[in-house]
């Protein structure tokens, strides 16, 4: 291996592995609960959250891709699967040429209403009730800094 | 919906969504890089890390499951797929009845040696170089607190 790699220190390695473990376990716990409560996967739930956030209960595929930070093709495939379970419906919008809307169905609305209270209670119990206000603030700072880094430097500064 | 649910505050909701976004994007970035550099998926990489951590380059399936925090059946399926790509080999150990070892092959060792420098450099660039020592300490505290909560109260205290 290249000798000029700055390997992680033992403490960095420990933090990084704990973080990976935490995310794997937290997401497994939340997924299992969504499945048990409302037969929803975590991606289903995310899609439904964004649809219910919109007053009309509908969002264009392109906008969903941006909101979810998914590739457009992944949104499209996932919506097709949710459509076959009648959780959402795709409504073509030929006249403006800006692509189809994804609309939440009554069954989709019932599913998220069934899932949301337990999901939020678990997120609260496992994360927000455990952390002090200062730790929540630190988490916000840490998250924002890493996201800025992921986005790369603003244009004109490269 | 039940009226006694303590929904997240706007700030908690923001932090939670940013965290989910961060984890999705960080993991997508790291996966893409592992794939490009060495044709490894993130789970492949994790398995190989644990095998190279062991001085003999071999770990029992049961111990891998504990180290990876995966279900034993998931480890078993994943090892089968990695075996077909000759990254690892399963070595039965009939005499002691404690189950098979997973052993890293020379090809597996070459793959992780090819992937590791880029992977570590990216983790460093996106996470550890961006955070101050205090923020890394806060991240360690936050991670440990949530993991303790995920584990539930110690026996005898319920």
């Amino acid at each position: 291996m290249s000798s000029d790699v700055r390997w992680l220190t033992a403490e960095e390695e420990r933090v990084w592995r704990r973080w990976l473990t935490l995310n794997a376990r937290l997401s497994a716990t939340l997924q299992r609960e969504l499945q048990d409560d409302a037969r929803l996967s975590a991606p289903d739930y995310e899609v439904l959250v964004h649809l219910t956030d919109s007053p009309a209960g509908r969002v264009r595929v392109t906008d969903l891709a941006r909101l979810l930070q998914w590739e457009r093709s992944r949104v499209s495939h996932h919506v097709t699967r949710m459509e076959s379970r009648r959780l959402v419906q795709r409504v073509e919008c030929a006249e403006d040429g800006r692509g189809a809307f994804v609309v939440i169905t009554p069954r989709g609305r019932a599913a998220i209403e069934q899932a949301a209270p337990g999901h939020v209670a678990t997120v609260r119990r496992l994360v927000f009730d455990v952390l002090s206000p200062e730790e929540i603030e630190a988490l916000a700072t840490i998250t924002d800094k890493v996201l800025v880094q992921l986005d790369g430097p603003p244009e004109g500064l490269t």
Side-chain angles (χ1 to χ4, degrees), chain A residues 142-153:
Chain A
I142 290 165
T143 307
D144 286 346
K145 282 177 106 171
V146 178
L147 276 170
V148 166
Q149 186 71 359
L150 269 161
D151 285 328

Side-chain angles (χ1 to χ4, degrees), chain A residues 27-83:
Chain A
S27 114
T29 302
L30 292 170
Q31 296 231 28
R32 202 165 40 233
E33 188 178 63
L34 288 172
Q35 193 64 48
D36 290 349
D37 285 358
R39 307 234 157 270
L40 294 176
S41 69
D44 295 339
Y45 185 81
E46 283 188 71
V47 168
L48 295 176
V49 163
H50 288 297
L51 296 180
T52 50
D53 272 356
S54 142
R58 62 179 208 174
V59 178
R60 281 179 206 273
V61 172
T62 320
D63 294 329
L64 260 185
R66 187 179 38 78
L67 289 165
L68 294 160
Q69 306 253 351
W70 295 358
E71 301 283 339
R72 209 181 168 295
S73 62
R74 181 178 169 200
V75 177
S76 190
H77 286 128
H78 198 80
V79 162
T80 302
R81 284 197 295 274
M82 289 178 75
E83 218 175 353

